Amino acid sequence: MGASLKDVAQLAGVSIKTVSNVVNNYPHVTPGMRAKVQRAIDELGYRPNLTARHLRKGRTGIIALAVPELGNPYFAELAGAVVDAAARHDYTVLLDHTAGERQKEILVSQGFRAHVIDGLILSPIELEAADLLGRTDDAPLVLLGEREYDAPYDQIAIDNVSAARTAVRHLTGLGHRRIAFLGARRESARQPAHLRLRGWREELTAAGLPCDDSLVAATDGYGRVDGAAAMNALLDRGERPDAVFAYNDLIAIGAMRALTDRGLRVPDDVAVVGFDDIEEGRFSTIALTTVSPDKQAIARLAVERVVARLAGAPHLVPERIQPGYTLVARESTARRPG
Amino acid sequence: MGASLKDVAQLAGVSIKTVSNVVNNYPHVTPGMRAKVQRAIDELGYRPNLTARHLRKGRTGIIALAVPELGNPYFAELAGAVVDAAARHDYTVLLDHTAGERQKEILVSQGFRAHVIDGLILSPIELEAADLLGRTDDAPLVLLGEREYDAPYDQIAIDNVSAARTAVRHLTGLGHRRIAFLGARRESARQPAHLRLRGWREELTAAGLPCDDSLVAATDGYGRVDGAAAMNALLDRGERPDAVFAYNDLIAIGAMRALTDRGLRVPDDVAVVGFDDIEEGRFSTIALTTVSPDKQAIARLAVERVVARLAGAPHLVPERIQPGYTLVARESTARRPG
DNA sequence: ATGAAAGCGCTAACAC
DNA sequence: GTGTTAGCGCTTTCAT
């Protein structure tokens, strides 16, 4: 245990309050007094005990961020942006994994480390709106990610349907007609990918193209392996799309890898579009065309929303905020040959 | 503010201590009493205030992890492993960025969020041993990463010289003779890459090859852009190595990208070896040969070390622990043609 | 087996 | 301008 206010006060021969005043830069302290106290502080190597301060103030300065896993660069990049955004408001980030599992997501939403976190930013995968109904924890909650929840919490997400349509439109605009979707979930009960899938359907329909369900490939997860497996499965059952729209960049990268392995060229034989704009895609041997959500904005807005509620606007009406996105065309897409 | 022990005690008509006993599963409570208290707890939706508990116990259950940035998949994957390892010991992870800057690293080492974290795992880049000398914070500190510190703290790192030599030996074994090193730092003052660079030198010498300093390319950072820039710089000044050993996978991936852009084929024209074994390298179009440090072990050991000191062995003698590593040969390296 | 009371380190009200 | 004191919610002796 380090020194406490009391120790410093004793050494300096003043009251606790005076030391507290110095520590907190209370303006009305005489310079001489300040110097004397400061000397005692330095001598003892005093550091304020934040835990005690928090108990007193009811605030900890800690925001929790729960993402499926940091192994996915999208979440790693997002987490990094949240850490930086939080730091700008003098908040620190407590990090947790949910593995995208509903139970873990519920647990976190219900009061992860209750009272030690001031607010919670959660990026759910399988969570249902109903799971949020009985939430008692009074720490502000902000939801991130693709899904839309009919629940009274702030939600920060780009317009996934419209973004997916933009991606597909990019492909149809290049003359592609058989456009596969990679990354639907195997079980139909929960369909986290449904908005992007809907975008795919809507845009194909708008372009007067058929929505061929045999061109929809399910995956078990959201990683590179899953993308490769889905691409292989599609090709194995005899489909030969001339373009692929993947649920995310990792799946797209896995798909490109599978295509290359089978001697198919990207983009000449099959064009590929991803979603997320992770840095990896910019530098892959065939740079990946992708939908780029404004991650900085997402992180900033999420943190600001938590901080605003904490700073005296606790009953702000919950909002659904849609940050911007752009389509970044790179090497993995090109005009359909012939 | 939620309900407190007092509220529950009042509602149940018992003393605070009894409620506390129930909450903490103290064995000597009559079942009837336990049930009565539990009912009150449920009714009020009581959650223990961990901040208060922490103040009392002097422990928070939080370990801080400070890495340069999560944008680098190596650190993201490592951070993920630390979060999981910590969870196994019922600890949560507070995350911070240092940007690899010395000042930020010093700040963190000196007592980042003093008293709210029980221990600290720091992966420094520019920190010097001298910066650690005056450390007063009594939270256990574990150092990660390439550098070795002459300081009384646990250090978990693979044997970088030997690992680098293994990588270079892989290349010489394939018949390569002009082997470049990518990723030395521009300023000579602090040379975070020096161990891997030394491994490069030692192994070349052992193989009877010259250590041609014109084949050492400096970078400004550790990202893909830096790798591409360094590779281009090397080629621009007329060097044509037949193999490249990069400080890390990101630099290697940037280099591969630059090589491909200039019409050079990997591995036929130039073989490439990285360091870190990030998942990205496994799935790049040309799968990357790399040194694979045991990240799970690093994370596990770091957390165990912190937890051990916290759990009553505070004065364990500081150790330098070297987890294992392997060389993973993939497509980016092949026998030198001809 | 249960209760009463002290105190962890701090801040905020109020007194002087 | 500085000191006194109560109390944040909890755990922990010490009684009973």
Side-chain angles (χ1 to χ4, degrees):
Chain A
M1 273 294 133
S4 75
L5 271 190
K6 201 166 71 177
D7 302 326
V8 177
Q10 214 152 29
L11 179 64
V14 298
S15 84
I16 289 185
K17 178 59 165 55
T18 305
V19 182
S20 173
N21 283 342
V22 172
V23 171
N24 293 293
N25 283 312
Y26 181 69
H28 307 293
V29 190
T30 52
M33 183 62 81
R34 186 178 295 277
K36 186 163 72 174
V37 171
Q38 190 57 54
R39 221 173 304 128
I41 288 177
D42 294 342
E43 183 166 338
L44 292 173
Y46 167 78
R47 334 281 308 266
N49 184 327
L50 298 185
T51 306
R53 184 178 287 174
H54 298 154
L55 173 58
R56 184 59 233 234
K57 308 239 269 196
R59 290 286 165 73
T60 63
I62 298 177
I63 296 176
L65 171 68
V67 296
E69 49 148 0
L70 288 179
N72 183 329
Y74 175 75
F75 291 114
E77 291 175 15
L78 183 65
V82 169
V83 168
D84 292 337
R88 266 177 259 127
H89 294 271
D90 290 320
Y91 274 89
T92 321
V93 173
L94 198 64
L95 194 73
D96 203 28
H97 281 180
T98 63
E101 290 165 10
R102 187 173 174 197
Q103 279 315 315
K104 192 69 203 300
E105 290 172 351
I106 293 176
L107 202 69
V108 164
S109 74
Q110 292 300 351
F112 169 61
R113 296 250 151 199
H115 299 278
V116 340
I117 62 164
D118 289 344
L120 170 63
I121 300 172
L122 170 62
S123 184
I125 299 277
E126 296 189 337
L127 192 77
E128 298 296 319
D131 301 331
L132 253 18
L133 249 45
R135 183 179 138 93
T136 57
D137 192 357
D138 46 4
L141 167 65
V142 174
L143 296 167
L144 262 39
E146 189 197 337
R147 311 203 36 199
E148 288 173 359
Y149 289 93
D150 188 15
Y153 298 105
D154 293 317
Q155 298 177 47
I156 321 264
I158 66 167
D159 183 338
N160 274 275
V161 175
S162 143
R165 290 191 63 161
T166 305
V168 174
R169 194 177 315 125
H170 170 68
L171 291 170
T172 56
L174 290 170
H176 299 291
R177 307 187 55 81
R178 289 182 53 73
I179 301 173
F181 182 87
L182 253 56
R185 284 289 245 178
R186 221 169 277 290
E187 344 82 83
S188 58
R190 283 185 287 283
Q191 187 55 270
H194 77 289
L195 292 180
R196 296 180 196 173
L197 189 54
R198 188 199 302 167
W200 173 80
R201 271 189 227 291
E202 287 184 5
E203 187 59 31
L204 286 183
T205 307
L209 295 169
C211 287
D212 188 349
D213 273 346
S214 59
L215 285 177
V216 174
T219 55
D220 289 321
Y222 301 106
R224 303 173 189 84
V225 253
D226 304 299
M231 191 72 241
N232 279 322
L234 204 65
L235 295 170
D236 284 345
R237 64 172 195 255
E239 301 292 346
R240 241 310 292 281
D242 45 34
V244 164
F245 171 45
Y247 173 76
N248 71 12
D249 281 357
L250 290 186
I251 291 174
I253 286 165
M256 288 205 293
R257 174 74 219 202
L259 287 165
T260 308
D261 283 349
R262 296 171 80 120
L264 291 166
R265 288 161 313 155
V266 177
D268 311 274
D269 298 323
V270 182
V272 177
V273 180
F275 202 113
D276 280 352
D277 192 20
I278 61 178
E279 201 182 326
E280 174 173 352
R282 282 210 275 292
F283 279 85
S284 58
T285 308
I286 303 150
L288 182 65
T289 295
T290 189
V291 173
S292 177
D294 190 341
K295 288 187 273 279
Q296 300 302 323
I298 294 172
R300 185 175 48 74
L301 288 165
V303 170
E304 280 175 0
R305 208 64 192 170
V306 169
V307 170
R309 283 181 191 278
L310 254 20
H315 300 302
L316 282 175
V317 33
E319 273 191 72
R320 216 166 270 189
I321 304 174
Q322 296 194 324
Y325 64 86
T326 53
L327 182 92
V328 186
R330 301 203 186 98
E331 301 162 355
S332 68
T333 49
R335 177 154 293 283
R336 184 171 174 227
Chain B
M1 273 293 132
S4 74
L5 272 190
K6 199 166 74 180
D7 302 325
V8 177
Q10 214 151 31
L11 179 63
V14 298
S15 85
I16 289 184
K17 177 60 165 59
T18 306
V19 182
S20 173
N21 283 341
V22 172
V23 171
N24 293 292
N25 282 311
Y26 181 69
H28 306 293
V29 189
T30 52
M33 182 62 82
R34 186 179 296 277
K36 186 164 72 175
V37 171
Q38 190 57 53
R39 221 173 304 128
I41 288 177
D42 293 341
E43 183 166 338
L44 292 173
Y46 168 77
R47 332 282 307 268
N49 182 327
L50 297 186
T51 306
R53 185 178 286 176
H54 299 154
L55 174 57
R56 185 60 232 231
K57 308 239 269 197
R59 289 285 166 73
T60 62
I62 297 176
I63 295 175
L65 171 68
V67 296
E69 49 146 1
L70 287 180
N72 183 330
Y74 174 74
F75 292 114
E77 292 175 15
L78 183 65
V82 169
V83 168
D84 292 337
R88 267 178 258 129
H89 293 272
D90 290 319
Y91 274 89
T92 321
V93 173
L94 196 65
L95 194 73
D96 203 29
H97 280 180
T98 63
E101 289 165 10
R102 187 174 174 195
Q103 279 314 316
K104 193 73 202 300
E105 291 171 351
I106 292 176
L107 203 69
V108 164
S109 74
Q110 294 299 349
F112 167 62
R113 296 250 152 199
H115 297 117
V116 341
I117 62 164
D118 289 344
L120 170 63
I121 299 172
L122 170 63
S123 184
I125 299 277
E126 294 189 338
L127 192 76
E128 298 296 319
D131 300 331
L132 253 19
L133 248 46
R135 181 170 196 266
T136 56
D137 191 357
D138 47 5
L141 166 65
V142 174
L143 296 167
L144 261 39
E146 189 196 337
R147 309 201 41 199
E148 289 172 359
Y149 289 92
D150 188 16
Y153 298 104
D154 292 318
Q155 297 177 47
I156 321 264
I158 66 168
D159 183 338
N160 274 275
V161 176
S162 144
R165 290 191 62 163
T166 304
V168 174
R169 196 176 314 126
H170 170 69
L171 291 170
T172 56
L174 290 170
H176 298 290
R177 307 187 54 83
R178 289 181 54 73
I179 301 173
F181 181 88
L182 253 58
R185 284 289 245 177
R186 222 169 276 290
E187 344 84 82
S188 58
R190 282 185 289 282
Q191 187 55 267
H194 76 292
L195 292 180
R196 296 180 195 172
L197 189 54
R198 190 198 301 167
W200 173 82
R201 270 189 227 292
E202 287 184 6
E203 188 58 32
L204 286 183
T205 307
L209 294 169
C211 289
D212 188 349
D213 273 347
S214 59
L215 285 177
V216 175
T219 55
D220 289 321
Y222 302 107
R224 302 174 189 82
V225 252
D226 304 299
M231 191 73 241
N232 279 322
L234 204 64
L235 295 170
D236 284 345
R237 61 172 197 257
E239 301 292 346
R240 241 309 292 281
D242 44 33
V244 164
F245 171 44
Y247 173 76
N248 70 12
D249 282 357
L250 289 186
I251 290 176
I253 285 165
M256 288 204 293
R257 173 76 220 201
L259 287 165
T260 308
D261 283 349
R262 296 170 81 120
L264 291 165
R265 289 161 312 155
V266 177
D268 311 275
D269 296 324
V270 181
V272 176
V273 180
F275 202 113
D276 280 351
D277 192 20
I278 60 178
E279 202 182 326
E280 173 173 351
R282 282 210 274 293
F283 279 84
S284 57
T285 308
I286 302 151
L288 182 65
T289 295
T290 190
V291 173
S292 177
D294 190 341
K295 287 187 274 277
Q296 301 302 323
I298 293 172
R300 184 175 48 74
L301 288 165
V303 170
E304 281 175 1
R305 207 66 192 168
V306 169
V307 171
R309 283 180 191 279
L310 253 20
H315 299 304
L316 282 175
V317 31
E319 274 191 71
R320 217 166 271 188
I321 304 174
Q322 297 194 324
Y325 64 88
T326 53
L327 181 92
V328 186
R330 300 202 186 98
E331 300 163 355
S332 68
T333 50
R335 179 155 290 284
R336 186 175 171 220

